[in-house]
Amino acid sequence: MSTMQHHSAERGSTAPVHQLPMQDSPELKAALEQANLQTLLMVYVHLTHDESMLETFKVHIHPPYTNPDYQIPQDCIDDLREKLLYVLTTPGAARNEDPPLALMQKMMTVSVGEPVENEFIPMVLEQSGFQRTAARKEKAERTPPPPGFKVLVIGAGLTGLLASIELERAGYDHVVIEKNEEVGGTWWKNRYPGVGVDTPSHFYSYSFEISPEWNHYHPHGADMREYFRSVADKYDLRRHIRFETRVLSLVFDEATALWNVTVENVKTGERDVIRANAIFNAFGPADRWSLPNIPGIDSFRGVLTHSAGYDEGIDLKGKKVAVIGTGASSAQIVATIVGEVEEMVVFMRTKHWMINNPEVTKEVPEAVKWALRHIPHYKEWFRFRVFWFAADGLYPNVVKDPNYPEDGIAVSALNEGMRQYALSHMRHKLASRPDLIEKLTPDFPIFSKRIVMDAGWYDALVQSHVTLDDTPIAEILPDGIRMKNGTEYKFDVIICATGFNHGKLVKDLVIKGRGDHDLAVDWADEEERAYMGTTIPGYPNYFMSVGPNAGPNHAGGLNIVSEAQVHYMIECLDHMIANGARTIEPTQDAFARHNRRIDDRMKHMIWTHPKAKSYYQNSKGRPVGPWPFRLVDMWNEMRGPVQSDYRLD
């Protein structure tokens, strides 16, 4: 199959039917004035197939990181807006058919100012919302799941909801087990001040459900909750979900080829067993948290909370507040509450690279929302641009240049350029506080651990009532915190922004597979490994999301990995059923070969740099989180199972 031919797909299936011509209205004119210019160009060419306009603009469009201050000539802008207004408001001016794929590829290349090669086209068409895999249950040649076949999904967050939607479209009976009282997973539970997403809003969503309603270019927690609730409503997903229920164990029965799943009601403690043919473990790495192991933590008489279990009713006004931790959650919390508290001390355990991204707090103008809602194809082309610049273009940042010293502060010229960019921002923001610059400057390469977006973090730290203390904490007292150097602080509130328990991917879940396979034994000493981050030998019909070495840690978002893995799971089950088998699992040879490939590639990646220390690694330093290849490689490899790599029974 040519790379320009997409797998069986519905062309344009996600786009609403727009009524053309549109009314020439003040709202339309405002949208044309404020909407993204490159996206408007794509809309015009999409509706007219006018390649001459691409030729006019291609010399003026550059990737944002190469020439950020370049201004497109005003006469070109005026001409585009005038022509697009005419096409949108004049009967018969727009063509009814979509552009051919060759023209779509040319449009993409012009839109982002750099080549969009053939290998990216199928993934980009899907991720931009232009194509969607056809519903499998509508295919006459497909072998449908046998009566009574059931899939059990663990978790109703981003990945679990997606699995429910796709399993329904594939004709699989399924049940979703969710420990919370509502959908959304980590975005339902996390309600700390300033909670938000690093990934851009218009990409951090399902490719087939692109929302025009985001209030910020990077979504806040409330936006995420509303998005997932609206998706659950639209697809009627709650009928599949058992809320306030926790999965305790998964035990495979070889005689029946079924999984016995013990679940517990989180309120009553009542337990029962569900029998399922297949399991999809969809809870993510940011699922379980615990308070830090600091002596005296139980003695504190004030308010003590973790960011992941934050009570929105906590009153911080005029209070003395401690924030323990300096990662992404801490940066958001500190920037949000700094104007409310009387005094704040931030306790730093580890340093982080902070990136300036002015869009992190920027609101989406109403005129742009209007364009996303009403202008044909605008939201798909807008998502394409957002996705492109948040995806594999960032991959070279995490690849080691062999000419750079193994233990240096950067791994390549590009990586050093990003380090200097981050340093320049820090020095600008902290010019009046050289002491903070010294405290905050990391000694490891940028991107070797998760970077943090600056949404007011540096501005908060220079406030007169804020202290950054990097001395180790000795103990928590009934009324405050004592440091190892003897300094004592008094606090009303302690907020622990200390992250999640990433040490065990399946946490405390008991998983026993075929024969003597027990995942606690197979993954002892944190040696967590899988095939394609999704399946494991000895665990038939068991699939997991964002498993070992499947994390999109150089770019993109969890959503693209989740869509690839859900698609892969259903392709595996379809392959099994079409062959009359009851179980499918990877062979030991395929598993070993895949992990050798991961280890060999990881030697060339930033995450094995001697100064890289993060939750991407296990306690022995092996990176168990990151996928060391490009996102397009993952997407292409997960179109379906390599049949010889799987055992059917």
Side-chain angles (χ1 to χ4, degrees):
M1 179 185 293
S2 165
T3 54
M4 282 296 292
Q5 292 177 311
H6 196 34
H7 57 287
S8 177
E10 301 167 352
R11 189 73 187 275
S13 62
T14 67
V17 177
H18 293 283
Q19 295 298 319
L20 291 178
M22 301 173 69
Q23 183 180 357
D24 186 350
S25 65
E27 290 82 6
L28 175 56
K29 285 193 168 75
L32 295 180
E33 284 292 324
Q34 297 184 46
N36 176 265
L37 196 68
Q38 292 89 333
T39 306
L40 292 177
L41 173 64
M42 295 304 105
V43 169
Y44 171 77
V45 179
H46 197 121
L47 294 174
T48 64
H49 303 192
D50 179 5
E51 295 189 49
S52 67
M53 202 63 132
L54 295 178
E55 296 301 317
T56 298
F57 271 86
K58 72 178 184 181
V59 297
H60 300 299
I61 296 176
H62 314 281
Y65 43 81
T66 60
N67 199 352
D69 299 323
Y70 182 84
Q71 297 293 318
I72 296 175
Q74 191 61 43
D75 60 335
C76 292
I77 297 172
D78 293 341
D79 184 48
L80 171 62
R81 288 173 177 158
E82 181 180 338
K83 287 181 175 177
L84 182 53
L85 178 63
Y86 175 82
V87 170
L88 292 173
T89 59
T90 304
R95 300 180 64 155
N96 291 324
E97 71 278 9
D98 288 334
L101 284 180
L103 178 53
M104 291 279 281
Q105 183 175 15
K106 184 176 181 180
M107 294 164 66
M108 292 173 183
T109 292
V110 172
S111 171
V112 295
E114 59 188 18
V116 178
E117 305 291 355
N118 283 0
E119 65 175 329
F120 288 94
I121 298 300
M123 176 182 72
V124 166
L125 286 173
E126 177 198 78
Q127 285 302 309
S128 302
F130 287 115
Q131 290 188 348
R132 187 181 184 191
T133 304
R136 294 170 178 83
K137 65 182 178 183
E138 297 172 4
K139 296 180 181 179
E141 72 278 9
R142 174 178 177 255
T143 304
F149 192 98
K150 176 178 281 190
V151 180
L152 184 139
V153 178
I154 306 175
L158 181 153
T159 309
L161 294 179
L162 169 69
S164 183
I165 292 170
E166 295 301 329
L167 286 166
E168 175 76 17
R169 293 179 74 241
Y172 282 93
D173 182 26
H174 65 282
V175 60
V176 182
I177 308 299
E178 171 54 54
K179 72 178 187 301
N180 297 327
E181 66 275 18
E182 181 54 290
V183 301
T186 187
W187 299 112
W188 174 254
K189 293 299 290 183
N190 277 262
R191 293 168 183 256
Y192 60 80
V195 59
V197 187
D198 290 348
T199 308
S201 308
H202 298 89
F203 173 54
Y204 193 75
S205 54
Y206 303 132
S207 61
F208 55 87
E209 202 59 56
I210 305 173
S211 173
E213 304 304 327
W214 299 110
N215 294 313
H216 299 83
Y217 284 108
H218 284 250
H220 292 190
D223 297 328
M224 294 307 308
R225 290 196 293 273
E226 180 55 35
Y227 177 78
F228 289 124
R229 290 175 73 177
S230 68
V231 168
D233 290 340
K234 177 175 180 177
Y235 292 91
D236 192 19
L237 299 182
R238 290 181 183 83
R239 61 194 166 94
H240 296 294
I241 304 173
R242 284 182 57 171
F243 288 106
E244 298 182 306
T245 304
R246 179 182 292 112
V247 176
L248 300 179
S249 66
L250 310 169
V251 179
F252 185 72
D253 183 340
E254 292 192 63
T256 62
L258 294 173
W259 285 93
N260 292 316
V261 184
T262 301
V263 299
E264 178 184 74
N265 184 293
V266 298
K267 285 190 171 179
T268 66
E270 182 180 352
R271 296 184 179 184
D272 64 300
V273 176
I274 303 172
R275 308 191 82 188
N277 299 83
I279 304 294
F280 183 55
N281 190 342
F283 66 69
D287 173 70
R288 305 198 184 171
W289 56 269
S290 59
L291 292 170
N293 185 24
I294 301 175
I297 194 166
D298 294 330
S299 71
F300 186 64
R301 292 195 295 260
V303 175
L304 188 144
T305 185
H306 190 284
S307 56
Y310 194 87
D311 181 355
E312 293 174 289
I314 296 174
D315 180 14
L316 298 176
K317 190 170 183 179
K319 298 293 197 319
K320 293 184 170 121
V321 178
V323 179
I324 301 175
T326 50
S329 298
S330 172
Q332 292 171 343
I333 291 169
V334 169
T336 303
I337 70 174
V338 66
E340 191 176 353
V341 302
E342 176 188 324
E343 182 182 322
M344 177 161 56
V345 181
V346 181
F347 295 96
M348 183 169 69
R349 302 183 302 169
T350 58
K351 301 175 182 181
H352 295 265
W353 282 110
M354 191 77 55
I355 289 288
N356 176 33
N357 183 348
E359 287 198 340
V360 168
T361 56
K362 191 175 178 182
E363 293 186 6
V364 181
E366 190 55 40
V368 175
K369 288 185 186 179
W370 195 95
L372 289 159
R373 294 184 195 115
H374 299 292
I375 295 180
H377 312 299
Y378 183 90
K379 65 183 174 71
E380 289 82 16
W381 282 109
F382 187 77
R383 179 179 168 103
F384 161 69
R385 279 183 56 80
V386 172
F387 165 65
W388 186 259
F389 292 124
D392 282 333
L394 299 173
Y395 183 73
N397 277 300
V398 296
V399 180
K400 294 177 184 175
D401 181 340
N403 295 318
Y404 267 64
E406 176 64 24
D407 60 350
I409 198 65
V411 298
S412 68
L414 180 61
N415 186 248
E416 172 63 16
M418 289 301 298
R419 190 179 79 90
Q420 291 298 331
Y421 173 74
L423 281 174
S424 175
H425 175 64
M426 178 195 293
R427 290 165 181 162
H428 169 69
K429 286 289 187 178
L430 303 179
S432 64
R433 293 289 304 276
D435 60 312
L436 287 179
I437 294 175
E438 184 178 351
K439 279 185 179 180
L440 290 166
T441 302
D443 62 352
F444 51 85
I446 190 169
F447 288 107
S448 63
K449 64 191 292 186
R450 181 183 177 181
I451 58 170
V452 180
M453 298 292 180
D454 182 14
W457 162 255
Y458 289 143
D459 291 337
L461 292 183
V462 299
Q463 299 294 311
S464 60
H465 64 295
V466 177
T467 300
L468 177 70
D469 196 327
D470 58 356
T471 307
I473 294 174
E475 64 176 325
I476 293 180
L477 307 171
D479 60 352
I481 293 177
R482 186 173 66 82
M483 314 304 291
K484 287 194 174 178
N485 64 4
T487 302
E488 290 191 10
Y489 296 98
K490 305 293 184 184
F491 293 114
D492 305 302
V493 179
I494 297 176
I495 302 171
C496 299
T498 47
F500 298 87
N501 176 18
H502 291 272
K504 292 176 64 179
L505 288 179
V506 296
K507 313 305 186 236
D508 300 320
L509 187 60
V510 174
I511 305 176
K512 296 187 177 181
R514 188 193 299 274
D516 296 325
H517 280 285
D518 183 330
L519 205 58
V521 176
D522 290 349
W523 280 3
D525 299 321
E526 299 176 36
E527 271 306 301
E528 297 159 319
R529 292 184 182 268
Y531 173 84
M532 294 302 296
T534 310
T535 56
I536 311 168
Y539 299 85
N541 301 2
Y542 174 79
F543 306 87
M544 62 188 306
S545 67
V546 200
N549 296 116
N553 294 120
H554 73 273
L558 175 62
N559 51 309
I560 188 171
V561 176
S562 296
E563 289 191 17
Q565 290 185 307
V566 169
H567 173 90
Y568 186 78
M569 169 187 66
I570 295 174
E571 289 293 309
C572 286
L573 292 177
D574 276 7
H575 170 60
M576 176 190 78
I577 290 168
N579 283 275
R582 297 191 303 171
T583 64
I584 183 170
E585 65 182 275
T587 67
Q588 189 64 40
D589 284 347
F591 169 84
R593 184 177 67 251
H594 173 75
N595 280 283
R596 283 196 302 271
R597 175 192 175 213
I598 291 287
D599 291 345
D600 288 345
R601 182 59 191 165
M602 202 65 78
K603 297 172 186 175
H604 305 284
M605 307 306 293
I606 197 169
W607 304 297
T608 54
H609 189 279
K611 294 180 180 178
K613 300 289 184 290
S614 75
Y615 65 79
Y616 295 163
Q617 302 160 312
N618 64 13
S619 60
K620 292 177 285 187
R622 185 178 75 81
V624 296
W627 168 254
F629 304 98
R630 300 171 304 166
L631 293 174
V632 70
D633 299 321
M634 174 184 285
W635 192 93
N636 285 327
E637 291 179 34
M638 300 199 80
R639 292 305 86 199
V642 175
Q643 295 182 11
S644 59
D645 284 355
Y646 276 89
R647 162 188 173 184
L648 300 177
D649 286 325

